[in-house]
Amino acid sequence: MARLIYNTATTLDGYLADDSDSLDWLFAVPGAAEAESAFPAFLENIGALVMGSTTYEWVYDHEDLATHPEKWGYGDRFSLVLTTRALPLVDGANLRLHAGSVRDAWAMLVEAAGGRDVWVIGGGDVVGQFADAGLLDEIRVSVAPVTLGSGKPLLPRVLGSDRLTLESVGKAGQFAELVYSVGRRSAESTGASDA
Ligand SMILES: NC(=O)c1ccc[n+]([C@@H]2O[C@H](COP(=O)([O-])OP(=O)(O)OC[C@H]3O[C@@H](n4cnc5c(N)ncnc54)[C@H](OP(=O)(O)O)[C@@H]3O)[C@@H](O)[C@H]2O)c1
C-alpha cells in the first residue's frame, strides 16, 4: 500500500518560501550538500509525486525546463501538477495536469506508484487538501536555521498532537531533520475511506 509523504525543507518559523516564492534563504544555508545526501535514498522508494502549480512553475523557471527538459529532476516517475490552468509540460517527463479533488488525484498516484510511496512536494495548502481527505501518512521536514517572518506556509491546517507522532530526529549539517507519522482520522469523521 502506497503511503503519502510530505518531504520538504522549511524555515524555523514554518515557511516553504518567502513572499516572492524565493528559496534564496535555503540556498544560503552552509552545508546544504551534506543535508541533501540522504535524498537519493528517499527518492528511490518514491513511485509518484504531486505538487501545486506555484511549486511546478518555480521548478520550470528555475531549471529553464522549456530549453533544458533534461534537467527535470524526477526521472520517469509519474508526476501530477494540480492546476486549473493549461501550463506548459516538460518534454519527455511523465507529467500530467489535474484540476479538482485530491481524492481523484490519489487514485491516479497510487496506481502509478506501483507499490512505492507517493511524495507530495507542496505547497502547504496542497498538503492540507490531502490531510483534510485523511490521506497524509508522514511529514519529513528539514528545518533550516532561518526565520523569515512571513512567506508561504508549511502546512496551514490544524493537526493536533493526537494526529502527529515524532518518529525520529536527526542532524544534517545545519538542518534539523524531523519525521512525524500522521494518524488518519476515522472514516466516520471524514466521510472518507482509505484508498
Ligand atoms: N522549501 C521547499 O523545499 C519547498 C517545497 C515545496 C514548495 N516550495 C515553494 O513554496 C511555494 C509554495 O507555494 P504555494 O503554497 O502558494 O503554492 P502551490 O501549492 O505550489 O500551488 C498552489 C496553486 O496550485 C493550484 N491548485 C492547488 N490545489 C488545486 C486543486 N485541488 N485543483 C486544481 N488546482 C489546484 C492553484 O493554482 P492554479 O489553479 O491557478 O494553477 C493554487 O493556487 C512555492 O514558491 C514553491 O516553490 C518550497
Side-chain angles (χ1 to χ4, degrees):
M1 168 68 79
R3 297 180 316 136
L4 181 65
I5 300 174
Y6 181 27
N7 186 354
T8 190
T10 177
T11 68
L12 180 58
D13 55 345
Y15 295 107
L16 294 177
D18 73 11
D19 290 315
S20 312
D21 289 308
S22 169
L23 296 183
D24 288 351
W25 57 270
L26 179 59
F27 302 133
V29 179
E34 183 189 343
E36 282 177 9
S37 63
F39 186 70
F42 167 76
L43 200 55
E44 203 165 299
N45 198 41
I46 295 298
L49 49 97
V50 54
M51 69 188 98
S53 63
T54 307
T55 300
Y56 174 68
E57 287 181 296
W58 185 90
V59 174
Y60 192 89
D61 293 341
H62 182 75
E63 300 290 358
D64 190 14
L65 293 172
T67 312
H68 294 287
E70 74 281 2
K71 289 187 173 177
W72 176 249
Y74 308 114
D76 60 359
R77 290 172 184 80
F78 177 71
S79 305
L80 202 60
V81 175
L82 299 182
T83 184
T84 55
R85 295 171 291 140
L87 296 174
L89 300 177
V90 179
D91 279 352
N94 185 5
L95 185 58
R96 182 162 165 184
L97 308 178
H98 173 77
S101 144
V102 295
R103 188 156 286 283
D104 293 343
W106 179 241
M108 279 185 265
L109 289 160
V110 169
E111 185 176 351
R116 290 189 289 172
D117 290 334
V118 177
W119 177 21
V120 54
I121 298 178
D125 182 68
V126 165
V127 180
Q129 292 175 49
F130 282 102
D132 292 345
L135 294 169
L136 184 63
D137 294 298
E138 188 171 280
I139 299 171
R140 307 176 73 94
V141 283
S142 297
V143 183
V146 182
T147 64
L148 290 175
S150 67
K152 301 301 170 76
L154 172 67
L155 181 46
R157 291 296 191 280
V158 177
L159 288 179
S161 54
D162 56 329
R163 301 269 316 274
L164 295 177
T165 303
L166 180 62
E167 301 290 355
S168 70
V169 176
K171 180 178 186 294
Q174 287 296 301
F175 292 82
E177 310 238 299
L178 309 176
V179 178
Y180 296 89
S181 56
V182 183
R184 295 193 180 193
R185 286 181 295 188
S186 69
E188 292 75 28
S189 63
T190 61
S193 62
D194 287 353

